[in-house]
Amino acid sequence: MKMRFSLLALFVILLGMSLPLASAQEDIVDTEPVVEPVTDDDVNAIAKDLYCPVCENIPLDACGTSACEDWRYEIRLQLEAGRTEQQIVDDFVARFGDRVVGTPQDPVLRALSLVTPLLAIALGLFFAVRFFLQYQRDEETTTLATDKQAQDDSTSYKFLLEQDISG
Amino acid sequence: MLAEIGLFATGFSLLSALYAIIASVVGERIANERIVLTGRNAALLTFALLTTATVVLQTAIMTQEYQIAYVWSVSSPPMPTFFRWTAIWGSQAGSLLFWSFLMSAFAAASIAMHWKNYRRLMPYAIAIMMAVVAFFVAITLSFENPFERWWIGEDGEVLRTALIPAGAAAPDAHRLSASAQGLNPMLRHFGMAIHPPMLYLGFVGFIVPFAFGAAALASGDLSTNWIKASRRWALIAWIFLSLGLVLGGRWAYDVLGWGGYWGWDPVENAALLPWLTGTALLHSVMIQEKRSMLKTWNMVLVITTFSAVIFGTFATRSGLVESVHSFARSDIGFPMFFFWFSLTLVSVLLLIWRRSQGRLRDDHRFKNIFSRESLFVLNNFVFMALFGVVFWGSFGAPILSEMFMDTDITLGTDYFMKVTPPLFAVLFVLMGVAPLSAWGMTSIKRLGRSLVIPFILTALTLMLLVSLGMNTPIAIITYAIVLLAGWVAIVETGRGVMARVRAHREDPFSAFFALLRRNPRRYGGYMVHLGVTIVGLGIVGSTLFQVETQRTLAVGESLTIENYELRYDSVRQEIADDNRIMDIAEVTVFRNGEMITTLSPRRDFFQEGEGTNSMTIAGTHSTLENDFYVILVGWEEIGASSATFKVYINPLVNLIWWGSIVLILGTVFAVWPKEMLSVHVRQQFQQPVTGRRALAGKGI
């Protein structure tokens, strides 16, 4: 009895779980996928991070030449074909080189570009702190030496005075 | 006739500059005062001759002498008179002559101001300034001569030469004027009337501090005399450079059509580099004046600043980097590089020589990390770090990767926005803390007590901003750092004002101006810091919270962005007086459903000579809160049925322009002389100048 009840419960649970799946299947079968149209904003979001291959240092979204208009249209076509932002950027780099992106795609160049100045700053800070601490140590050493010298002077002066008094 | 006058004036200015160099140095070395005086007078004559050449070129532009090739290339018959005034710096040759003229003007002014008071430095300072002027005049005459003219040779060939070739005749005047190219359309903006001369004044102004610094090294007068002689000039150069940078940003904002004001363009960065080291220098010289410290470092800064000026000029004019700013590639690249290298090398060698003699030893030491001099040094370190990262991104990495890895790279906005914000944040923190520390010794307890009121005010301001809806953590932190610096400047000024009000029973306004008169450096400096704070708030707001959208609209259709709505009403075409074709759109702007304004964004097309140039003028509704900024990207001509608009909302962007005004005013107060200029100049030339032997006899 217990066994039958358990089997029945299992059956009901399984039936209940399959219903949403079934309706989802129906949904999939019955409706077409919704494709968002590519907007100017979508194109500009990618073009903003690219540079005009011809007019150096001008972002692609701001460049007003007809060549740049064509390249922005190319971005639109690639987005409509389902390509991702990275794929589009890689395509531009492959065709025009690293100069079309704001930081190089090549890992070595990227590391060199970003790490070098930070490394230089860190080194500079290290030497500056070291110089400052050395500066202060020199000041202390100078003060100690001056004090010792003063003490030596006073000792020898005292000796001379005592000699004069006794003599 | 004009061309001949200009050409010979320029040529003779080179000769007089060369004579000034030789006479000043030789006369000083052999202690012959008369020869030194002739050198001084030759430097003044150089200024007079370059003024003549500049006036001649300007006259030629105004009177439309198109046979002069430079006039032909930068102007045309329909060009408005206003732009004829700005055309002199519209291209390489004219701007080089203008640059030389400004440099000679600074040299002449510094001679007039300091001839007697800094007599020991003057001959070397004159020699150095004239050497730089002579170089620029020489490359103007050799490579970019603005007085070359068009000729038709015997065999009908078109020639362009300074002197008339044998058998050649002048071309037909009508054909010349009809084919004249006109000013680059990008330069036809009110900003172009001011931006280049301000920038040039800033660049060339640093020749005076550099010349006096190098003169100190050459002459052996390594006291604070060179700083006293050149500090005001450094401030004046800094004002103009700051103005030039701000106006350049404003020009870019108005005509480049990308909704921004700073693109980290290499040529923009080339102007920023001397500004960074110049700002460090202005702070650092105070330490030498007050505490006789950092003598070597100040020399390093003044050499680096002027070296950056020359390097920036080289980079812009040689074609090393290309940008919307730079001039076309020219032959002056190699000579400029050689000059920059030589000037920097000689300066550094002089410095090393004097240092090895022990002549640049500091009189005091750093006692405490929280002392004002220590914090100023930290401030200098951050400025040099900024200099390093900007230089690396603009020139270092691109040039090295091209040379050694055969790869062209661009380090753009995303590189600069990664590396510079943390450094600017540290600078703002120091701007808040350093003014509260004392020279020599400051305890952290004392510093903390001084910061209490500014901290409270900063916290209250942040609470207000949060209550108005600002809830982005990065924005809160950034605003906190920027606001603290501003509140410190206000509180310290307020303390001074209240003390005067109590002591002298003055009203606050009178007390404030009395404080400015008594201590212009201190209170002018606070005003500069306040101006920088306001600019900082504008930059943070417009960078972190800018929103944009682009859509193609049919007539009558609207787009929505935030709580704004833009409706496209119509488009029309017009022809301006200078024959440019203007496509003008009319749009209406609504906010929260209510109409606030109508705007007319447009695109201008210039047909000059061969081809067409275009320019985009945004339509902008400006308030202190934000700019609603509209660009006409394009429109369909047939039926004018639709047009594409790009819309930006730039929060707080106008604080940048207003903050710059406060910054400039503060610097003007700081630099204002205490005695009348005419009295001072007269005093320099009243008594006979004593020679080097006489000065040596007095122990100078």
Side-chain angles (χ1 to χ4, degrees), chain B residues 295-364:
Chain B
K295 294 179 183 177
T296 307
W297 179 243
N298 285 328
M299 284 293 182
V300 168
L301 280 178
V302 81
I303 292 168
T304 307
T305 303
F306 195 66
S307 178
V309 165
I310 301 298
F311 184 85
T313 314
F314 155 65
T316 315
R317 294 173 180 278
S318 64
L320 178 70
V321 288
E322 288 186 27
S323 85
V324 67
H325 296 88
S326 62
F327 299 90
R329 257 176 226 279
S330 79
D331 294 331
I332 69 171
F334 180 72
M336 285 223 67
F337 176 81
F338 184 75
F339 178 70
W340 164 75
F341 183 78
S342 308
L343 177 133
T344 309
L345 182 67
V346 168
S347 307
V348 168
L349 288 174
L350 269 175
L351 175 62
I352 292 171
W353 172 50
R354 286 301 183 192
R355 194 168 157 79
S356 68
Q357 291 180 332
R359 302 291 305 278
L360 288 166
R361 268 206 198 105
D362 292 344
D363 295 346
H364 292 96

Side-chain angles (χ1 to χ4, degrees), chain A residues 6-35:
Chain A
S6 301
L7 282 171
L8 186 63
L10 184 61
F11 176 76
V12 168
I13 290 167
L14 285 170
L15 188 67
M17 280 170 66
S18 65
L19 280 172
L21 283 171
S23 64
Q25 286 286 338
E26 285 177 59
D27 287 337
I28 290 165
V29 166
D30 289 341
T31 60
E32 285 183 8
V34 175
V35 177

Side-chain angles (χ1 to χ4, degrees), chain B residues 18-28 32 35-40:
Chain B
L18 290 170
Y19 178 81
I21 298 165
I22 297 166
S24 298
V25 174
V26 169
E28 183 66 9
N32 187 319
I35 297 177
V36 173
L37 283 174
T38 64
R40 180 199 72 182

Side-chain angles (χ1 to χ4, degrees), chain A residues 41 44 48 57 99 101-102 113, chain B residues 322 392 410 412 548-550:
Chain A
D41 291 343
N44 284 337
K48 200 170 188 152
N57 299 304
R99 63 206 291 246
V101 284
S113 305
Chain B
E322 288 186 27
W392 177 251
T410 304
E548 63 177 275
T549 191
Q550 179 174 314

Side-chain angles (χ1 to χ4, degrees), chain B residues 424-591:
Chain B
F424 278 117
V426 173
L427 268 183
F428 271 99
V429 169
L430 287 170
M431 216 163 69
V433 173
L436 299 174
S437 66
W439 296 107
M441 251 332 219
T442 298
S443 69
I444 191 163
K445 207 170 158 182
R446 182 182 174 279
L447 206 54
R449 270 204 304 270
S450 308
L451 280 166
V452 167
I453 296 177
F455 262 129
I456 292 171
L457 291 167
T458 302
L460 287 171
T461 317
L462 281 175
M463 280 163 59
L464 176 66
L465 290 173
V466 169
S467 71
L468 291 172
M470 189 192 70
N471 54 12
T472 320
I474 189 74
I476 292 170
I477 295 167
T478 317
Y479 277 132
I481 292 170
V482 173
L483 282 166
L484 178 67
W487 279 122
V488 165
I490 292 171
V491 166
E492 289 301 296
T493 306
R495 265 200 247 268
V497 167
M498 292 320 295
R500 270 202 80 91
V501 164
R502 278 195 296 269
H504 300 274
R505 301 189 191 282
E506 289 169 330
D507 65 276
F509 280 113
S510 307
F512 174 67
F513 285 107
L515 277 176
L516 268 178
R517 270 195 307 274
R518 273 185 71 80
N519 200 336
R521 286 174 71 171
R522 184 187 184 93
Y523 292 97
Y526 284 144
M527 203 185 281
V528 171
H529 281 193
L530 181 62
V532 172
T533 298
I534 298 170
V535 169
L537 292 172
I539 292 173
V540 170
S542 57
T543 304
L544 291 181
F545 298 109
Q546 184 191 55
V547 289
E548 63 177 275
T549 191
Q550 179 174 314
R551 268 189 60 191
T552 302
L553 302 175
V555 173
E557 200 181 352
S558 297
L559 65 82
T560 307
I561 177 170
E562 303 270 289
N563 55 344
Y564 289 87
E565 186 188 326
L566 175 124
R567 187 186 69 207
Y568 169 37
D569 295 329
S570 65
V571 71
R572 67 183 190 280
Q573 243 186 20
E574 281 181 14
I575 311 240
D577 294 338
D578 57 358
N579 290 341
R580 89 191 116 101
I581 300 166
M582 299 188 292
D583 296 344
I584 308 172
E586 296 293 337
V587 298
T588 306
V589 182
F590 301 84
R591 188 176 183 184

Side-chain angles (χ1 to χ4, degrees), chain B residues 151 197 692:
Chain B
W151 305 98
R692 190 164 73 115

